[in-house]
Amino acid sequence: MHNPRCHFLILFIQLISIISFYHYVIPIRGEDNNTSAVKVDVGIILDLETDVGKVMHISVLLALEDYHANASRGAIRIVPHIKDSKKDDVEATSAAIYLLKDVQVQAIFGPQMSTQTDFVIDLGNRVKVPIISPATSPSLTVKENPFFIRAALPSSTQTKAIAALVKKFDWREVVVIYEDSPYGFGIVPHLTDALLEISSLVSYRSVLSPSANDDQILKELYNLNTKQTRVFVVHLRPYLASRLFLKAKEAGMMSSGYAWIMTDVLTSLLDLVDHSVIESSMQGVLGIKPYIPRSNQLNNYTKRWRKRFRQEYPDMDQIELNAFGLWAYDGITLLAEAVEKLGTTAIPKLKKPDTRENLTDLDALGTSEVGSQLIDSMRNTVLKQGLSGDYRIIDGELQPFPYQIVNIIGKGEKSIGFWTEKDDISCKLKNGKTAAKCNNKQLGAIFWPGDSTIVPRGWEMPTSGKKLRVGVPLKGGLEQLIKVEKDSKTQAVTATGFCADVFKEVILSLPYALPYEFIPFPIQDPLTLPDYDDLVHKITSQDYDAVVGDVTILASRSEYVDFTLPFIESGISIVVPVRDDDRRDAWIFLKPLKSELWITTGAFFVFIGFVVWVLEHRVNKEFRGPKRKQVGMIFWFSFSTLVFAHRERVTSNLTRFVLIVWVFVVLVLTSSYTASLTSMLTLQQLQPTITDLNDLIKNGEYVGYQEGSFVKDVFIKRMKFDSSKFRSYITLEDYDDALSRGSKNGGVGAIVDELPYLRLFLNKYCRKYIMVGRTYKAAGFGFAFPKGSPLVPDVSRAVLKVMEGEFMNNVIQKWFGNETDCPQKDETAITSDSLTLDSFKGLFLIAGVSAGSALLLFFLNFLNQNREILATDDSIWKKLTAIAKVFDEEKDNSNSMSEKPSESNGSNAPKLLAASEASPEILPDLPLQIPEIRISDGLGASPAAEGFSTTEPGTPVHETITDTIEER
């Protein structure tokens, strides 16, 4: 028999429990006995058939309980009206219409599915009721929907974190595996853009139907395994993702060399994946999820939530609280605080439309009078003590959290680092949270699939068994660069030559084995006339996986393929025949100066002679006389300065100024001419028949090039060459034959080609031909691969390694020979030795300006002295005639002759000469023969004292006469 006291105690406890139940649970479900509290109806639309919906359901209930438990908030009672959308868009819409029309809620939390939320948002905008939804689709934008609040992070925010991981491990390509739903494909464009910012790309998009069976999943995985990329980003819900990883394990894709990255939803809901799947098929997988900082408040809440969840859903023991449950709690709390700001006055119902006609359910919806106030309170607010951390809503959007990077090991996950948009990847956050012992900007130790600690390269050769298909040009000449042979019995293709040897060495230098096979591509096919561009295009058509050979890196080609770094420098130049030694040419003395320089020099000689004649004609007797004499004087005086042989004296200062400048110009010209002629006569040179491209165009010469080369297009487009003047050849012997015959005999006047080919040609025919003109730069020869191929960086690094070693010198010696074997070869590009006018423009400009200025000053002075003639009323012709007569007359200098000499001189030479003629006895000591003394008519002074001459000075007769007079 039981103890009566114990029985009473049990009844008392049951009574207390019933009272507590009615006090807390009944108000939450809309049944409140507190008639004085202001009731606010709030709709809750969740998918209670999903695990995430159940997690958020419990969080919503607990959030309202915690809000009502606060005694200061007893004046407002939030009444939730929970509706189940049952995984159906129509059910969600129907629930929203019911809540808005019949219940007349002031706000709606949910739905959780993006497709359901899309239509409910439109309803909210129509009735001005806030819609707080945890939907993650980036297509739902708060900017276009003024009454929409996003209470969870959109899937687009994680793309930069995923891109940072890809960049961290130098992966160039990834494959995205996503489900065929708005949840799945919403992330793809954002992830693609984020990868492009780090120069990576999405190489393939694998779409799985949510209802796909195991066979369909396995088939898709086998398809992925035939591709090169080994980095997979998985954006699936837990149920479909668990089946994917099981089949990936079965397909051998969870082994070493593979990398898997889970997006945030899958990582956050990892507890929904069966633990056996995690242990067997997900080891080494990386994942990212929003970082939720641990706190005592969160720990206490987690215990309450777990207890309540087990009460509501006792058959779901494995479900744990996740980020969506925490965001639901914080979102409801934020909504409750916004409602509290409305005050304790009664909140009016929705305002019905003013019409009596028969209305549909949509037309019958009213308009909330407090919705605008609620949405304004929630669009920009912060819940600093939220369970998820700083729960910040800015412009209606939940702001990004730091992302935690985890590594699946054993039965669960291990934190290896964090990502923030400001600090990128790091092993710890500023709040001191440390993931592992590591340096900042690094991650903790990672275990990759297959229990490997080596970072996957990110790509492998396809497992379909095919080797790397390498296209090589098949041509009949220039076999030193590439030669392709095919065995008639085994059909095996071998490639030799400089390019093939370098490629083989580069492949051996890679840190992994790369099987390949050569596939010949005929360049000289007479039917299709293919060229190197067609060879490179075989990569885009997926006929080849790479192209090896003498393929030049061009900008046009790089638009559809990727090239490695060049393994040999290149450029475009011209080779022409050498001509006979110019020293045997009778007219070689004319070659130091170009024709335009000869003409300019002769014109200036005549011009300077004319200027000197004008300045000296009126004051100097030697520049007067018959017209023939004066014309001859113009040419004689000027040209005689070429060898400084002029004997005529000048008296004008302007003339002296002009001659000083002109003599300097003549000095420079003669010195340059002498140096150039000396060089031509003394140096042993191979002189080309043509010195530059202009000579080819001017002479109408034919030009030869290599069959299939891009060089022809370069010269036609850039140099404006006539396309009909090009002739193609194949071998070095063809080059020699065409140059030997010349353009007039069916050959060519020059060969244009790239430097590697021309070096081979000159090594063989160095005494017959020479390289001339400038070299037009080219990028060089490189190996071509498909656009975005992960092989390109590895092969480029291997090219650098080979070029820095001794192998490169040996292979160049092997195929190109010793470039110093030809003693007469001069590889320096030869240009014309003749001097051009451009080199002397400055000198001629100075001489011209000096002479012109002197001439101008003379005429201004002359016209000023004869201004009385210009002042007459005669016609212009008579004035010009009078001026010309005055100019032709000799200038009168009688006034200057009567000037007294200086006292220090003591005598005047002209007077002494006159005295000697009158009385010879007064100078007995003078010799009988006195040299002729010239007296200038210009200034009355002795020509020896004031004349200008470059010859020997005259005899100083006047000094002798003066000395004799003093003795007497």
Side-chain angles (χ1 to χ4, degrees):
M1 183 173 179
H2 297 288
N3 189 338
R5 292 184 178 180
C6 293
H7 183 69
F8 175 78
L9 182 60
I10 292 172
L11 291 176
F12 179 76
I13 294 175
Q14 290 178 346
L15 179 63
I16 295 299
S17 299
I18 292 172
I19 294 174
S20 300
F21 175 78
Y22 276 91
H23 181 72
Y24 289 103
V25 178
I26 297 301
I28 292 177
R29 295 186 176 179
E31 302 173 10
D32 184 27
N33 295 324
N34 187 359
T35 57
S36 63
V38 176
K39 295 181 181 180
V40 179
D41 296 308
V42 174
I44 309 294
I45 303 177
L46 296 173
D47 193 347
L48 297 179
E49 295 183 5
T50 64
D51 297 333
V52 176
K54 294 172 183 177
V55 170
M56 290 194 291
H57 174 221
I58 301 302
S59 292
V60 169
L61 295 179
L62 292 177
L64 291 176
E65 285 183 13
D66 292 345
Y67 174 78
H68 292 143
N70 192 332
S72 62
R73 295 170 175 171
I76 296 178
R77 180 65 56 181
I78 297 178
V79 182
H81 301 271
I82 301 175
K83 303 294 290 183
D84 184 5
S85 63
K86 301 178 182 179
K87 294 184 179 181
D88 187 75
D89 295 351
V90 177
E91 285 287 344
T93 304
S94 177
I97 294 176
Y98 167 78
L99 293 172
L100 293 171
K101 178 184 176 183
D102 298 333
V103 182
Q104 297 191 19
V105 296
Q106 301 298 328
I108 293 178
F109 182 86
Q112 68 193 66
M113 306 295 292
S114 299
T115 53
Q116 300 171 6
T117 306
D118 194 8
F119 187 73
V120 175
I121 290 175
D122 293 336
L123 292 177
N125 294 333
R126 183 168 184 168
V127 300
K128 298 183 179 180
V129 170
I131 307 297
I132 303 97
S133 172
T136 61
S137 174
S139 61
L140 304 174
T141 60
V142 297
K143 293 182 179 180
E144 298 177 359
N145 301 285
F147 286 87
F148 172 46
I149 299 293
R150 192 192 299 276
L153 291 179
S155 57
S156 58
T157 58
Q158 63 183 313
T159 55
K160 291 185 178 181
I162 297 173
L165 273 178
V166 173
K167 182 181 179 180
K168 177 70 178 177
F169 300 114
D170 293 327
W171 294 327
R172 298 293 302 278
E173 296 181 358
V174 301
V175 172
V176 182
I177 305 175
Y178 59 95
E179 67 177 53
D180 189 11
S181 68
Y183 162 78
F185 52 70
I187 192 178
V188 175
H190 299 278
L191 180 58
T192 302
D193 293 342
L195 291 174
L196 287 176
E197 290 180 2
I198 62 169
S199 301
S200 297
L201 53 88
V202 176
S203 62
Y204 186 74
R205 302 177 182 182
S206 177
V207 185
L208 294 178
S209 171
S211 59
N213 56 40
D214 291 347
D215 291 338
Q216 291 173 330
I217 294 175
L218 191 59
K219 180 180 178 181
E220 180 63 21
L221 288 173
Y222 283 140
N223 177 46
L224 296 179
N225 216 22
T226 62
K227 304 182 183 303
Q228 287 186 341
T229 308
R230 291 294 181 264
V231 181
F232 305 99
V233 177
V234 181
H235 186 59
L236 303 173
R237 295 185 225 264
Y239 174 69
L240 186 57
S242 61
R243 295 167 56 208
L244 172 75
F245 283 110
L246 280 173
K247 293 305 174 183
K249 180 71 173 180
E250 181 180 337
M253 299 175 66
M254 296 303 300
S255 58
S256 178
Y258 290 85
W260 296 82
I261 303 175
M262 301 183 297
T263 55
D264 59 352
V265 172
L266 179 55
T267 308
S268 298
L269 304 179
L270 196 61
D271 58 290
L272 303 182
V273 180
D274 190 89
H275 289 172
S276 62
V277 176
I278 296 176
E279 292 185 65
S280 65
S281 306
M282 296 181 65
Q283 296 300 297
V285 176
L286 298 182
I288 62 170
K289 64 179 182 178
Y291 171 63
I292 307 298
R294 305 305 301 179
S295 63
N296 293 331
Q297 180 187 6
L298 178 59
N299 293 335
N300 295 332
Y301 174 79
T302 303
K303 295 177 182 179
R304 291 176 53 211
W305 180 93
R306 188 179 291 116
K307 180 180 179 181
R308 185 65 172 273
F309 188 87
R310 300 296 182 265
Q311 292 175 356
E312 294 284 342
Y313 307 103
D315 297 333
M316 304 182 68
D317 292 338
Q318 78 278 11
I319 305 300
E320 294 294 338
L321 180 63
N322 53 48
F324 290 95
L326 297 177
W327 289 336
Y329 182 96
D330 291 340
I332 291 296
T333 303
L334 206 64
L335 173 61
E337 291 182 353
V339 170
E340 187 177 359
K341 294 178 181 179
L342 295 178
T344 58
T345 58
I347 297 177
K349 298 293 183 179
L350 301 185
K351 184 179 180 180
K352 296 293 183 178
D354 297 333
T355 179
R356 296 181 179 179
E357 299 178 1
N358 294 328
L359 302 176
T360 63
D361 288 342
L362 293 179
D363 294 332
L365 297 177
T367 303
S368 174
E369 297 184 8
V370 297
S372 298
Q373 299 178 38
L374 280 176
I375 199 69
D376 291 340
S377 299
M378 297 182 64
R379 286 187 67 86
N380 293 281
T381 185
V382 178
L383 190 64
K384 292 186 177 181
Q385 296 181 351
L387 292 178
S388 60
D390 289 343
Y391 190 84
R392 296 179 296 126
I393 300 291
I394 305 298
D395 294 331
E397 192 93 43
L398 179 62
Q399 296 305 294
F401 286 69
Y403 277 94
Q404 185 177 13
I405 305 171
V406 299
N407 188 198
I408 306 302
I409 301 174
K411 297 181 180 181
E413 62 188 36
K414 174 189 174 183
S415 179
I416 59 173
F418 301 91
W419 178 89
T420 60
E421 190 167 3
K422 180 181 180 181
D423 300 326
D424 202 60
I425 290 178
S426 60
C427 63
K428 60 182 178 181
L429 296 176
K430 290 185 177 180
N431 60 5
K433 174 66 179 180
T434 302
K437 293 182 179 180
C438 61
N439 296 324
N440 205 20
K441 302 299 181 182
Q442 300 294 325
L443 292 173
I446 301 176
F447 289 92
W448 301 96
D451 295 330
S452 173
T453 57
I454 300 175
V455 177
R457 187 168 59 247
W459 67 273
E460 295 287 348
M461 290 306 299
T463 59
S464 57
K466 294 182 180 180
K467 299 179 180 179
L468 187 72
R469 298 166 300 170
V470 180
V472 287
L474 175 63
K475 52 186 182 180
L478 297 170
E479 297 176 346
Q480 295 89 339
L481 288 169
I482 189 72
K483 179 181 180 181
V484 181
E485 295 178 323
K486 190 173 184 179
D487 191 291
S488 58
K489 296 182 180 180
T490 63
Q491 300 299 313
V493 178
T494 58
T496 57
F498 172 77
C499 298
D501 285 358
V502 172
F503 176 74
K504 295 173 184 177
E505 185 67 19
V506 166
I507 296 300
L508 292 176
S509 299
L510 293 174
Y512 47 85
L514 183 62
Y516 61 88
E517 60 179 351
F518 291 118
I519 303 176
F521 179 83
I523 294 295
Q524 284 84 27
D525 191 333
L527 298 178
T528 60
L529 297 176
D531 57 15
Y532 279 79
D533 288 336
D534 297 323
L535 170 62
V536 175
H537 269 295
K538 287 292 184 179
I539 295 179
T540 59
S541 62
Q542 298 184 353
D543 293 326
Y544 300 154
D545 300 317
V547 167
V548 171
D550 48 345
V551 180
T552 304
I553 302 173
L554 299 177
S556 58
R557 294 172 181 171
S558 65
E559 293 179 357
Y560 49 88
V561 296
D562 280 346
F563 285 97
T564 64
L565 293 175
F567 56 88
I568 187 173
E569 293 183 355
S570 184
I572 304 173
S573 193
I574 306 173
V575 166
V576 298
V578 297
R579 59 188 176 188
D580 293 336
D581 197 344
D582 284 337
R583 293 175 298 174
R584 292 178 287 180
D585 188 356
W587 301 97
I588 189 175
F589 66 91
L590 295 177
K591 293 184 177 181
L593 305 183
K594 285 284 190 179
S595 57
E596 64 269 17
L597 184 55
W598 277 117
I599 294 173
T600 304
T601 303
F604 261 83
F605 272 114
V606 175
F607 173 66
I608 294 299
F610 171 74
V611 171
V612 171
W613 175 81
V614 169
L615 298 177
E616 294 291 325
H617 177 67
R618 299 187 67 228
V619 296
N620 195 334
K621 289 184 177 180
E622 296 188 11
F623 288 86
R624 300 185 60 81
K627 293 182 179 179
R628 291 183 179 180
K629 177 184 177 182
Q630 295 183 49
V631 172
M633 179 61 65
I634 292 175
F635 286 94
W636 157 252
F637 184 86
S638 179
F639 281 96
S640 64
T641 59
L642 185 63
V643 291
F644 309 105
H646 56 284
R647 300 181 58 87
E648 292 74 20
R649 308 177 188 278
V650 295
T651 60
S652 172
N653 288 331
L654 292 176
T655 307
R656 294 168 184 167
F657 169 70
V658 171
L659 285 180
I660 288 173
V661 176
W662 178 244
V663 168
F664 175 73
V665 173
V666 170
L667 177 63
V668 174
L669 280 174
T670 53
S671 300
S672 302
Y673 174 87
T674 304
S676 180
L677 182 61
T678 302
S679 175
M680 290 182 176
L681 293 174
T682 57
L683 294 181
Q684 296 287 337
Q685 293 180 338
L686 294 177
Q687 294 295 334
T689 55
I690 296 172
T691 58
D692 54 34
L693 292 177
N694 293 328
D695 293 340
L696 291 174
I697 299 175
K698 182 172 59 177
N699 300 336
E701 297 279 356
Y702 282 90
V703 177
Y705 71 100
Q706 184 184 167
E707 180 70 34
S709 175
F710 73 97
V711 172
K712 175 183 176 182
D713 294 333
V714 172
F715 274 74
I716 292 176
K717 294 178 181 179
R718 296 183 184 178
M719 317 303 173
K720 308 302 181 183
F721 263 75
D722 185 358
S723 60
S724 62
K725 294 294 184 179
F726 282 89
R727 292 171 176 169
S728 61
Y729 301 97
I730 299 175
T731 65
L732 299 180
E733 291 74 17
D734 293 341
Y735 281 179
D736 176 49
D737 178 66
L739 288 172
S740 300
R741 286 187 283 118
S743 297
K744 297 181 180 179
N745 299 316
V748 295
I751 294 291
V752 293
D753 212 334
E754 295 181 82
L755 291 180
Y757 309 112
L758 297 182
R759 286 170 180 164
L760 288 172
F761 181 65
L762 293 177
N763 281 346
K764 189 172 184 179
Y765 303 101
C766 60
R767 293 177 176 84
K768 298 176 62 177
Y769 308 105
I770 196 167
M771 196 183 304
V772 299
R774 58 175 294 191
T775 298
Y776 299 90
K777 290 294 183 180
F781 294 165
F783 305 128
F785 289 89
K787 200 73 174 175
S789 172
L791 276 173
V792 174
D794 289 346
V795 175
S796 293
R797 282 189 286 267
V799 168
L800 291 177
K801 182 178 179 180
V802 170
M803 292 183 65
E804 292 171 357
E806 187 63 26
F807 171 83
M808 206 65 182
N809 295 329
N810 296 334
V811 75
I812 290 176
Q813 178 68 26
K814 174 183 177 182
W815 293 107
F816 290 93
N818 192 344
E819 299 184 6
T820 61
D821 288 345
C822 184
Q824 294 184 4
K825 186 177 70 172
D826 183 7
E827 289 190 357
T828 304
I830 296 179
T831 56
S832 174
D833 291 329
S834 301
L835 300 175
T836 63
L837 178 61
D838 294 336
S839 303
F840 299 93
K841 282 183 178 179
L843 283 175
F844 286 120
L845 178 63
I846 294 173
V849 171
S850 302
S853 301
L855 198 61
L856 178 63
L857 290 175
F858 170 79
F859 277 116
L860 291 177
N861 183 50
F862 175 73
L863 294 176
N864 180 58
Q865 293 176 354
N866 298 276
R867 56 184 177 276
E868 65 278 0
I869 298 177
L870 300 176
T872 61
D873 295 334
D874 296 337
S875 64
I876 296 177
W877 176 253
K878 291 183 177 180
K879 292 180 181 179
L880 292 177
T881 303
I883 289 293
K885 289 181 179 180
V886 174
F887 174 76
D888 190 53
E889 293 176 356
E890 183 177 2
K891 187 176 181 180
D892 184 10
N893 292 316
S894 57
N895 293 334
S896 61
M897 294 292 295
S898 61
E899 294 178 357
K900 294 182 179 181
S902 60
E903 295 179 2
S904 60
N905 204 15
S907 63
N908 191 302
K911 292 181 179 180
L912 291 175
L913 291 175
S916 65
E917 291 177 359
S919 179
E921 297 86 7
I922 63 174
L923 298 173
D925 296 334
L926 292 177
L928 296 177
Q929 297 181 356
I930 299 177
E932 180 184 0
I933 300 177
R934 299 180 182 180
I935 301 175
S936 171
D937 295 329
L939 298 175
S942 169
E946 298 192 17
F948 182 87
S949 175
T950 58
T951 59
E952 295 180 6
T955 304
V957 177
H958 63 288
E959 296 181 4
T960 305
I961 297 174
T962 304
D963 293 340
T964 304
I965 295 174
E966 290 178 354
E967 291 176 0
R968 295 177 62 89

